[in-house]
Amino acid sequence: MLSSNMVALAYLIASVLIIFALKGLASPVSARRGNTFGMLGMGIAALVTLQLDSVQNYAWIVAAIAVGGLIGGVTARKVPMTHMPQTVAFMHSLVGLAAVLIAVSALYDPVAYGIAGSHGGLHVASRIELFLGTFIGAITFTASLIAFGKLQGILSGRPLVFAAQHPLNLVLGLGMIAAGILFCVNGAWLPFLIMLAIALVLGVLLIVPIGGADMPVIVSMLNSYSGWAAAGIGFTLGNNMLIIAGALVGSSGAILSYIMCKAMNRSLFNVLLGGFGGEAATAVAGGATAVERPVHSGAAEDAAFLIGNARSVVIIPGYGLAVARAQHALKEMVELLLKQGVDVKFAIHPVAGRMPGHMNVLLAEADVPYDIVFEMDEINSEFSDTDVALVIGANDVVNPAAKTDPASPIYGMPILEAAKAEHVIVVKRSMAVGYAGLDNDLFYMDRTMMLFADAKKACEAITQALD
């Protein structure tokens, strides 16, 4: 057994490694190293925790690790990249559920957790910690399950809005706080269970009015919730490592959510209250067909002619690229263009795809060079000097209405300014609108050519025509 000083030192080392992990994950270049730091840090924390005096029954722990490791390993290998957002959401739900179960266990046997007072009940401070960890964990659990259902297609991606929705959420929130305060005062089971039940319902009600287009921010926000839930339970367990790791995850998730909200011209306050994106998406249901207007369409050979004769090409990937699993075919096309002397760059919008960094992950999987992948703020100024903007499976993030139409729900949202390029090629299966439910004026510009095809097949056809 390690001494208390050695345990503290080991937790400190693990915490530093997790900080390095977050730093590494900030860039695709260092992401693999960041993952390694994170795994090493959590491995140290787990091994140190297992040798604590309070751990007495290793059979259950080993069994849980074996079952969880098997399920996690199989899932990681089988889940396609297009399903990664809902997989992340589901994992967040497990963190929330773990926080709730630990809180219930601690309340059932506070002596075993070392948080009992002289009379055998809970310390007041421990009750407050349990209250915070439980309601955040419960909201995270059910909210993440709803997000998973929307992303997986089990539930409709459309916002579910009903009368007096926000007042109902407010009443439930106040009721949850009141029950929590009562629990903090007397430590009884009844107010705890009432608080828990209301939190579970709130998790559902906060997410159902949110449309599919806003899921990247929600996944990031749920990541933050799961971190704060873990930190709260860390106080209950007296585990500094869990407190630090949870706080890091919670704060980084909140910062990322704020950045993404700015990228969508949204308020983080609205996200926290729920109903985020509902107003924008209810105007036109996601997946509806755009109003028929004349467009210029062409074949893969036409696209290859424009791209092959261009000095510079900026590629804008979107969720359609992920659905078609076209990243490898796109990489082959890019390699050919680079060999032919074309200046090729990728432009990534912060909320492209269905989770933070979705497009970056896809391109990294295909081994696209990191030095040709740029964020929106880095590349927007270059579109006016770009010969061809190639939009593959993206829609709302290139919609000029965000800059030109004050009546548009997305007005003010920063976009990738593909419309400024000399020529625009849009690879799309049909003229269906995106998740925001809005028609896209970019598709009807004289300089725009629509290539109606599956993204993978289109990239393969263009590559063949270029070769």
Side-chain angles (χ1 to χ4, degrees):
M1 296 293 178
L2 297 176
S3 66
S4 58
N5 288 336
M6 290 300 295
V7 170
L9 177 61
Y11 280 161
L12 176 61
I13 293 172
S15 300
V16 171
L17 287 171
I18 290 176
I19 293 173
F20 283 154
L22 291 175
K23 175 64 176 177
L25 292 172
S27 168
V29 178
S30 56
R32 189 182 297 274
R33 184 171 66 250
N35 266 327
T36 302
F37 283 139
M39 289 187 290
L40 184 58
M42 291 308 299
I44 293 173
L47 291 175
V48 171
T49 302
L50 286 174
Q51 62 80 50
L52 295 177
D53 294 334
S54 56
V55 179
Q56 299 176 357
N57 192 333
Y58 286 95
W60 284 103
I61 296 174
V62 172
I65 292 175
V67 174
L70 178 62
I71 295 174
V74 172
T75 302
R77 289 184 175 275
K78 288 191 173 182
V79 171
M81 190 58 65
T82 50
H83 291 176
M84 195 55 64
Q86 49 264 52
T87 303
V88 172
F90 187 74
M91 288 191 292
H92 291 159
S93 75
L94 296 180
V95 177
L97 178 60
V100 171
L101 293 177
I102 291 173
V104 171
S105 175
L107 182 58
Y108 177 76
D109 189 2
V111 176
Y113 284 84
I115 55 176
S118 58
H119 58 289
L122 288 167
H123 289 293
V124 175
S126 297
R127 296 173 195 170
I128 297 174
E129 293 160 6
L130 281 179
F131 164 53
L132 294 174
T134 301
F135 92 77
I136 297 174
I139 290 176
T140 302
F141 174 56
T142 50
S144 298
L145 286 181
I146 297 300
F148 166 78
K150 283 176 172 280
L151 290 166
Q152 184 67 18
I154 299 173
L155 302 175
S156 172
R158 299 179 183 181
L160 175 60
V161 182
F162 53 87
Q165 191 169 45
H166 290 302
L168 175 61
N169 288 346
L170 177 61
V171 170
L172 289 174
L174 292 174
M176 180 188 70
I177 293 173
I181 292 174
L182 184 59
F183 166 71
C184 293
V185 171
N186 61 23
W189 272 100
L190 182 59
F192 176 84
L193 293 176
I194 292 174
M195 176 267 294
L196 174 59
I198 295 176
L200 291 171
V201 174
L202 266 178
V204 175
L205 294 179
L206 290 175
I207 302 299
V208 290
I210 298 172
D214 303 321
M215 277 299 122
V217 178
I218 297 309
V219 171
S220 175
M221 202 68 237
L222 290 173
N223 177 52
S224 179
Y225 288 169
S226 67
W228 296 123
I233 295 302
F235 281 104
T236 300
L237 299 177
N239 190 306
N240 293 334
M241 177 67 225
L242 191 55
I243 296 171
I244 294 172
L248 287 171
V249 172
S251 57
S252 61
I255 292 170
L256 178 59
S257 299
Y258 172 75
I259 292 172
M260 296 179 73
C261 284
K262 285 187 64 178
M264 297 180 70
N265 195 35
R266 301 280 189 173
S267 166
L268 183 59
F269 184 67
N270 289 336
V271 182
L272 294 172
L273 286 179
F276 179 68
E279 296 81 356
T282 48
V284 182
T289 304
V291 178
E292 288 191 11
R293 292 158 62 184
V295 298
H296 303 286
S297 61
E301 291 75 17
D302 301 318
F305 177 79
L306 286 174
I307 295 172
N309 287 281
R311 291 180 301 100
S312 59
V313 175
V314 176
I315 301 173
I316 304 171
Y319 187 60
L321 180 76
V323 173
R325 303 182 186 180
Q327 61 269 30
H328 296 285
L330 178 59
K331 164 69 182 314
E332 293 179 8
M333 183 183 77
V334 169
E335 285 183 333
L336 184 57
L337 288 172
L338 291 173
K339 288 180 180 178
Q340 294 178 356
V342 179
D343 180 20
V344 182
K345 295 178 180 178
F346 284 85
I348 308 296
H349 193 280
V351 294
R354 293 295 176 268
M355 71 175 185
H358 197 176
M359 295 300 105
N360 301 81
V361 172
L362 284 179
L363 298 179
E365 184 194 18
D367 291 326
V368 171
Y370 302 132
D371 58 354
I372 64 172
V373 179
F374 297 88
E375 300 299 325
M376 177 177 64
D377 294 337
E378 298 175 308
I379 201 164
N380 254 348
S381 61
E382 298 187 22
F383 277 109
S384 57
D385 296 323
T386 298
D387 293 333
V388 177
L390 176 59
V391 182
I392 305 180
N395 196 329
D396 300 320
V397 298
V398 292
N399 193 337
K403 285 185 166 293
T404 60
D405 184 6
S408 174
I410 63 171
Y411 182 71
M413 166 182 162
I415 60 168
L416 289 164
E417 299 178 3
K420 291 184 177 181
E422 185 175 348
H423 299 284
V424 181
I425 301 173
V426 179
V427 178
K428 210 171 181 296
R429 291 184 179 182
S430 69
M431 289 298 293
V433 297
Y435 264 115
L438 303 172
D439 205 1
N440 194 333
D441 290 339
L442 178 70
F443 303 161
Y444 308 101
M445 289 172 46
D446 291 336
R447 304 192 307 275
T448 299
M449 185 188 81
M450 302 296 298
L451 176 54
F452 295 111
D454 171 85
K456 183 177 181 181
K457 293 179 179 178
C459 290
E460 291 173 343
I462 292 174
T463 302
Q464 186 175 0
L466 286 170
D467 197 357

